[in-house]
């Protein structure tokens, strides 16, 4: 983990809970000692039944007012299809002024489920999605740095654009990546890198993290300056059977990327996920024993991830937050903090 400080965050699951509940969980997470809260930004959830999809932009403003200390970020938002990048630059410039030093823009190349419903456009291949993300990040950074931006990209253009309200220090941009090409871009253009757990150590050790370092060096940056963030899917409870059964609500995580890319509505996603619900637990660190759970988390820290954001699947998030703050966070900080 080198010189990067250990950060322990909470994932506010906007697919599972409404905006008011998420705010209450966020306040509780701050009170209990979590370092950050990250919200997903979906137009449609992966599950139709009891699903939610509050606007992250609106929610972050409310969360900033309800909290005092914690960092707040998106994991992740797509600034390339339903949002023009200049609008995201304006929104996060405003958030950065309101809550200086506490806002992070986490971005990714998007999912068809969220973008097609709004745009009606055909979903482009991965190469184009990443090209759009590269251009969008470049434009956002220019809008935060320059006074007047005339941008002529392949996908995005601005004419005499100025962001009038922006913090003195630009909001950090973290870039989500599931493969080495996007990870290299994260290292080159981002202030941090985001990925998710449960995909096998080889992917992180041999592909993603080396690509992040390669990208950072190519841009003349110290690789150690980049935050390495991972969303860790954890189902921890004193009742092991409950911890196992809680994961079923996130059955869609068991679907392959190829399966998900052609699903364009929450009902269809839920239907396909039900067929693999019995396999859902495999993507989660399931435990009822604190020391066993620390050992489940340990490989991610030893790989070099310093920013761990914990995503719990259960309906009783308050119970999870209290239990984790009592049994897990102190152990992690004592050992690696």
């Amino acid at each position: 983990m080198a010189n990067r400080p250990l950060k322990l965050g909470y994932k506010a699951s906007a697919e599972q809970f409404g905006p008011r509940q998420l705010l209450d969980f966020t306040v509780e997470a701050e009170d209990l000692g979590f370092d950050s809260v990250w919200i997903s930004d979906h137009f449609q959830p992966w599950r139709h039944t009891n699903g939610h999809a509050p606007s992250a932009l609106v929610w972050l403003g409310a969360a900033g007012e309800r909290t005092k200390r914690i960092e707040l970020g998106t994991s992740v938002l797509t600034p390339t299809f339903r949002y023009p990048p200049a609008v995201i630059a304006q929104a996060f410039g405003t958030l950065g002024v309101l809550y200086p030093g506490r806002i992070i823009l986490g971005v990714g190349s998007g999912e068809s489920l969220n973008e097609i419903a709004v745009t009606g456009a055909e979903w482009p291949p991965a190469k184009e999605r990443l090209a759009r993300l590269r251009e969008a990040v470049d434009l956002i950074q220019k809008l935060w740095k320059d006074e007047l931006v005339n941008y002529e990209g392949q996908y995005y253009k601005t004419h005499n654009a100025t962001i009038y309200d922006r913090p003195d220090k630009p909001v950090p941009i973290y870039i989500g990546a599931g493969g080495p090409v996007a990870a290299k871009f994260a290292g080159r253009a981002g202030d941090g890198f985001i990925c998710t757990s449960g995909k096998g150590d080889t992917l992180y050790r041999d592909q993603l993290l080396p690509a992040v370092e390669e990208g950072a060096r190519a841009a003349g940056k110290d690789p150690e300056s980049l935050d390495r963030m991972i969303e860790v899917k954890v189902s921890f409870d004193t009742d092991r059977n409950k911890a196992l059964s809680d994961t079923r609500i996130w059955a869609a995580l068991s679907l392959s990327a190829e399966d998900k890319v052609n699903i364009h509505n929450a009902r269809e996603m839920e239907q396909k996920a039900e067929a693999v619900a019995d396999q859902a637990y495999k993507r989660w660190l399931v435990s009822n024993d604190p020391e066993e759970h620390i050992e489940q988390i340990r490989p991610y820290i030893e790989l070099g991830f310093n920013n761990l954001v914990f995503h719990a699947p259960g309906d009783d998030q308050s119970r999870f937050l209290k239990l984790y703050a009592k049994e897990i966070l102190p152990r992690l900080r004592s050992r690696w903090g």
Side-chain angles (χ1 to χ4, degrees), residues 285-322:
L285 303 182
V286 178
S287 181
N288 64 329
D289 177 76
E291 287 304 320
E292 177 192 43
H293 196 55
I294 295 299
E295 286 303 302
Q296 292 173 326
I297 295 169
R298 176 177 56 81
Y300 293 111
I301 298 176
E302 292 184 348
L303 279 167
F305 291 102
N306 67 296
N307 194 336
L308 280 60
V309 177
F310 299 108
H311 179 191
D315 287 335
D316 193 345
Q317 293 284 294
S318 182
R319 172 182 169 82
F320 163 77
L321 288 166
K322 290 183 175 71

Side-chain angles (χ1 to χ4, degrees), residues 10-23 25 37-56 59 75-78 82 110-115 196 231 233 246-255 260 263-267 269-270 273 283-284 311-315 317:
Y10 168 65
K11 179 65 181 284
S13 182
E15 296 196 338
Q16 192 174 355
F17 302 99
R20 179 65 62 187
Q21 284 179 294
L22 292 177
L23 282 178
F25 298 151
V37 174
W38 299 75
I39 187 166
S40 47
D41 183 51
H42 285 206
F43 188 79
Q44 300 188 112
W46 284 0
R47 182 182 179 88
H48 172 69
T49 305
N50 298 320
H52 296 274
S55 165
W59 186 88
S75 183
V76 292
L77 175 149
T78 302
R82 59 193 164 102
E111 289 178 336
S112 59
L113 179 71
N114 299 301
E115 310 305 324
T196 58
E231 279 191 18
K233 294 172 174 55
D246 280 347
T247 64
R248 291 181 63 90
I249 194 172
W250 283 92
L253 289 170
S254 299
L255 296 171
K260 287 185 289 193
I263 299 175
H264 303 150
N265 70 77
R267 294 163 182 83
M269 183 75 81
E270 181 177 345
R283 285 294 307 274
W284 299 78
H311 179 191
D315 287 335
Q317 293 284 294

Side-chain angles (χ1 to χ4, degrees), residues 49-88:
T49 305
N50 298 320
H52 296 274
S55 165
L57 298 180
V58 176
W59 186 88
L60 283 167
E65 287 298 303
R66 289 280 304 275
T67 56
K68 299 179 178 64
R69 169 187 59 81
I70 52 169
E71 291 183 333
L72 298 166
T74 49
S75 183
V76 292
L77 175 149
T78 302
T80 51
F81 293 98
R82 59 193 164 102
Y83 295 126
V87 170
I88 295 302

